[in-house]
Amino acid sequence: MGSLFKEFFNKGKGNKSGGEIIYTNDPLEGTDTQKLRAEISGRVQGVGFRFTTKQAADELGITGIVRNESDGTVYVEAQGSAEQLSRFVEALRKGPSPSANVDKVVVTYDENVEEKTNFSQAN
């Protein structure tokens, strides 16, 4: 197998270090519940990313939504404690789906994120 094909087929195997996390602002002050928006880029569509993101959110007790965007990114809104969201963002960075390859997670804490009663997967 040529090196080009070997690199293609082995990409991501054993390399779950994940992409970088960029925080655009600080966590919300004076509240136990944090709300955030995240945009995840890389190979994150068509690889089960939304499904496994919902699984991770459900396991951590986080509410919110996950959806594909037309530009190839995945968009997440999440609400939970600081500890829950820290673990969730780390899961997003690593790519909850084994087929995903995350380049970057851009996180913005936003008090205007709509409160949800569960975590749902859209489109």
Side-chain angles (χ1 to χ4, degrees), residues 4 9 19 29 39 52-53 59 61 64 71 83 90 94 106 112:
L4 176 65
F9 286 111
E29 292 185 18
E39 182 177 288
T52 53
T53 295
E59 288 175 15
D71 63 0
E83 174 63 26
E90 181 62 19
K94 291 180 179 178
V106 179
N112 297 317

Side-chain angles (χ1 to χ4, degrees), residues 19-75:
E20 68 175 318
I21 300 172
I22 299 169
Y23 289 93
T24 63
N25 60 354
D26 292 326
L28 306 172
E29 292 185 18
T31 178
D32 291 334
T33 301
Q34 296 291 316
K35 298 178 182 180
L36 62 78
R37 294 180 283 116
E39 182 177 288
I40 303 94
S41 58
R43 186 169 47 121
V44 293
Q45 288 192 10
V47 294
F49 193 91
R50 288 176 299 143
F51 177 78
T52 53
T53 295
K54 181 184 178 344
Q55 285 183 319
D58 288 345
E59 288 175 15
L60 292 168
I62 291 172
T63 61
I65 62 165
V66 59
R67 69 174 181 245
N68 284 342
E69 296 292 304
S70 60
D71 63 0
T73 62
V74 169
Y75 175 81

